[in-house]
């Protein structure tokens, strides 16, 4: 599954917390019961001691079998008495047992070495939370995407209006998310800043994460500077490194390609990331403000042809929605002041 190592670590520590919590709850139940019935405490203590006595019997070389049978008989009688005390107070039968959040794996996260479904859910939730935290658009989903921001008048040199084009883009992205599979195509989102590229890619991410896919969303400048810092080496792909999870995830979203400061390292790193995904035929969504010509100028032509050759190009058009929203906000402010 394609999650970064930190996500697994967070999930493990969450499970540990759950296990501790059920221990604490059990401790509380004990206190309540003991307060009401000192005899219950006595019984539990005695039962705990029996295991020590059994071990001693073995060590002393006494008639072990007879001794153990005796102990077992005593234990059963004590357990029965304890059960009666518990039910006498109207407590449930399992009152002195650990109550786990997930009964299947007892909050261990796996069953016989296979990942439990609670762990899968947890991983999904954590990566979803992280996605929202690391992106500025925590509310980017398909519902909050409005077509009202796109003009119905065609721009010069174009036969379709931004509204018509974006209507198509929106429908396309929704369908992409709905029908996503490992065989889905890679997409290249192209267009000027503020047209909704990040918004729609996050909307796709959100929907896929909810359905249990491993999605990584990263901005290219952030990722590349991190990789340069960590000195990620792609030749050692067995390492659980940044490079590994970038190749492993079901969908990689590489946002804002072209805004990073480019060096020999970043160009090579980018080529490796994209190339690995192409080889594994895993889908990637790349968004960029640059045109094909600008991309070719900034990167090796090889990379660009690799990008264009395997991806569906999705062209965004319209006016900067960030600016439109700002203007609307200012307008409502001045209106408020006038009133
Ligand atoms: N169609 C839309 N409806 C509502 N808000 C939008 C829409 N498109 C973009 N926005 C908002 O405008 C801002 C800029 O959009 P963004 O997706 O970051 O643009 P881009 O990535 O193309 O530069 C964000 O706050 C985003 O949520
Ligand atoms: Mg963006
Ligand atoms: Zn479980």
């Amino acid at each position: 599954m394609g999650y970064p190592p930190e996500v697994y670590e967070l999930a493990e520590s969450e499970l540990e917390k759950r296990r501790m919590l059920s221990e604490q709850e059990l401790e509380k139940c004990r206190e309540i019961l003991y307060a009401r019935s000192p005899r219950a405490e006595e019984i539990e203590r005695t039962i705990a001691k029996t295991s020590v006595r059994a071990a001693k019997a073995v060590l002393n070389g006494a008639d072990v079998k007879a001794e153990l049978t005796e102990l077992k008989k005593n234990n059963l009688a004590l357990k029965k008495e304890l059960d009666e005390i518990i039910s006498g107070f109207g407590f449930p039968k399992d009152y002195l047992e650990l109550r786990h959040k997930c009964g299947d794996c007892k909050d261990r996260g796996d069953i016989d070495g296979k990942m439990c479904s609670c762990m899968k859910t947890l991983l999904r939730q954590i990566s979803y939370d992280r996605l929202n935290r690391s992106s500025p658009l925590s509310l980017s989903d398909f519902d909050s995407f409005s077509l009202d921001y796109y003009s119905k008048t065609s721009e010069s040199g174009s036969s379709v209006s931004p509204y018509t084009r974006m209507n198509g883009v929106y429908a396309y992205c929704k369908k992409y998310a709905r029908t996503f599979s490992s065989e889905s195509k890679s997409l290249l989102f192209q267009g000027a800043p503020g047209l909704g590229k990040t918004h729609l890619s996050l909307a796709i991410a959100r929907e896929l994460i909810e359905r249990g896919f491993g999605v990584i969303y990263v901005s290219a400048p952030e990722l590349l500077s991190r990789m340069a810092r960590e000195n990620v080496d792609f030749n050692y792909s067995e390492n659980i490194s940044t490079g590994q999870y970038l190749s492993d995830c079901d969908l990689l979203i590489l946002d804002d390609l072209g805004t990073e400061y480019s060096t020999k390292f970043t160009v090579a790193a980018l080529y490796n990331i994209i190339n690995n995904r192409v080889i594994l035929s895993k889908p990637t969504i790349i968004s960029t403000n640059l045109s094909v010509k600008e991309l070719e100028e900034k990167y090796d032509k090889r990379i660009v042809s690799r990008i264009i050759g395997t991806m569906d190009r999705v062209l965004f058009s319209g006016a900067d929605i960030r600016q439109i929203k700002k203007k609307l906000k200012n307008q409502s402010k001045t209106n408020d002041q006038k009133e």
Side-chain angles (χ1 to χ4, degrees):
M1 278 265 251
Y3 295 112
E6 307 92 90
V7 172
Y8 287 99
E9 279 159 27
L10 285 168
E12 291 292 349
S13 78
E14 169 62 25
L15 287 178
E16 200 182 314
K17 223 165 61 197
R18 288 179 186 175
R19 293 194 298 265
M20 258 165 58
L21 214 71
S22 41
E23 296 273 0
Q24 283 166 0
E25 269 172 19
L26 178 59
E27 217 33 61
K28 257 192 236 147
C29 289
R30 279 218 166 88
E31 273 172 32
I32 294 169
L33 181 70
Y34 293 175
R36 293 201 192 176
S37 161
R39 173 65 187 149
E41 183 169 10
E42 207 177 277
I43 293 174
E44 282 226 295
R45 289 252 159 89
T46 318
I47 292 176
K49 268 192 215 146
T50 19
S51 55
V52 182
R53 260 176 66 197
K56 272 192 187 148
V58 174
L59 285 175
N60 292 339
D63 185 352
V64 177
K65 217 172 162 192
E67 180 95 358
L68 287 180
T69 318
E70 180 68 19
L71 284 174
K72 225 172 163 182
K73 216 174 83 194
N74 284 346
N75 252 359
L76 278 176
L78 286 171
K79 280 224 172 84
K80 200 166 159 247
E81 194 189 339
L82 187 61
D83 284 346
E84 276 160 12
I85 294 172
I86 290 171
S87 60
F89 287 122
F91 293 140
K93 254 185 132 144
D94 62 354
Y95 189 68
L96 288 181
E97 277 162 35
L98 282 168
R99 274 177 291 270
H100 296 284
K101 195 167 163 117
C102 173
D104 296 342
C105 69
K106 302 199 161 48
D107 295 334
R108 298 253 141 223
D110 66 79
I111 306 166
D112 300 330
K114 261 187 81 186
M115 193 186 281
C116 181
S117 65
C118 72
M119 179 71 164
K120 286 183 192 159
T121 310
L122 198 55
L123 288 168
R124 200 179 323 148
Q125 267 168 1
I126 292 169
S127 88
Y128 183 68
D129 289 349
R130 277 168 49 102
L131 173 84
N132 275 337
R133 230 181 309 130
S134 69
S135 80
L137 303 165
S138 51
L139 292 175
S140 294
D141 55 17
F142 285 118
D143 290 340
S144 60
F145 189 88
S146 160
L147 287 166
D148 296 342
Y149 293 105
Y150 304 99
S151 155
K152 288 188 173 161
T153 334
S154 308
E155 290 158 347
S156 59
S158 170
S159 56
V160 282
S161 70
Y163 181 89
T164 309
R165 173 171 297 285
M166 292 309 294
N167 194 7
V169 167
Y170 178 63
Y172 180 91
C173 290
K174 264 190 117 158
K175 186 168 174 212
Y176 184 85
R178 208 180 56 231
T179 58
F180 183 84
S181 75
S182 59
E183 259 113 75
S184 285
K185 278 193 167 173
S186 291
L187 309 179
L188 179 66
F189 286 178
Q190 268 184 310
L195 299 184
K197 299 183 296 296
T198 300
H199 191 117
L200 280 182
S201 55
L202 285 170
I204 293 173
R206 196 178 177 129
E207 192 159 321
L208 296 191
I209 286 169
E210 267 164 19
R211 296 215 333 256
F213 288 105
V215 180
I216 307 279
Y217 166 89
V218 277
S219 88
E222 223 179 273
L223 173 73
L224 291 166
S225 63
R226 193 166 82 213
M227 287 173 78
R229 255 194 337 266
E230 289 174 5
N231 215 348
V232 171
D233 190 342
F234 278 95
N235 295 323
Y236 295 97
S237 57
E238 74 270 17
N239 283 353
I240 304 174
S241 63
T242 309
Q244 174 73 48
Y245 76 74
L246 290 174
S247 311
D248 273 359
C249 62
D250 298 317
L251 177 67
L252 172 68
I253 297 174
L254 198 54
D255 203 4
D256 268 333
L257 181 77
T259 54
E260 75 282 352
Y261 175 69
S262 99
T263 62
K264 253 195 177 141
F265 174 85
T266 61
V267 173
L270 266 175
Y271 180 72
N272 275 317
I273 294 169
I274 297 168
N275 201 34
N276 276 346
R277 303 229 16 123
V278 171
I279 289 168
L280 298 165
S281 59
K282 290 196 158 186
T284 308
I285 296 178
I286 293 180
S287 75
T288 181
N289 301 331
L290 302 183
S291 67
V292 174
K293 195 158 162 275
E294 286 166 326
L295 284 172
E296 281 180 347
E297 276 162 15
K298 182 151 177 145
Y299 306 102
D300 190 309
K301 267 209 163 159
R302 205 168 47 134
I303 297 187
V304 178
S305 71
R306 200 83 167 140
I307 295 177
I308 310 285
T310 61
M311 299 180 128
D312 260 7
R313 274 173 79 194
V314 182
L315 299 176
F316 284 61
S317 73
D320 190 339
I321 289 168
R322 251 182 233 107
Q323 301 299 332
I324 298 176
K325 284 191 171 176
K326 223 191 251 166
K327 251 190 223 155
L328 289 172
K329 219 170 146 189
N330 286 339
Q331 264 168 18
S332 77
K333 249 195 222 153
T334 26
N335 285 343
D336 283 349
Q337 279 163 0
K338 272 183 205 156
E339 275 168 15

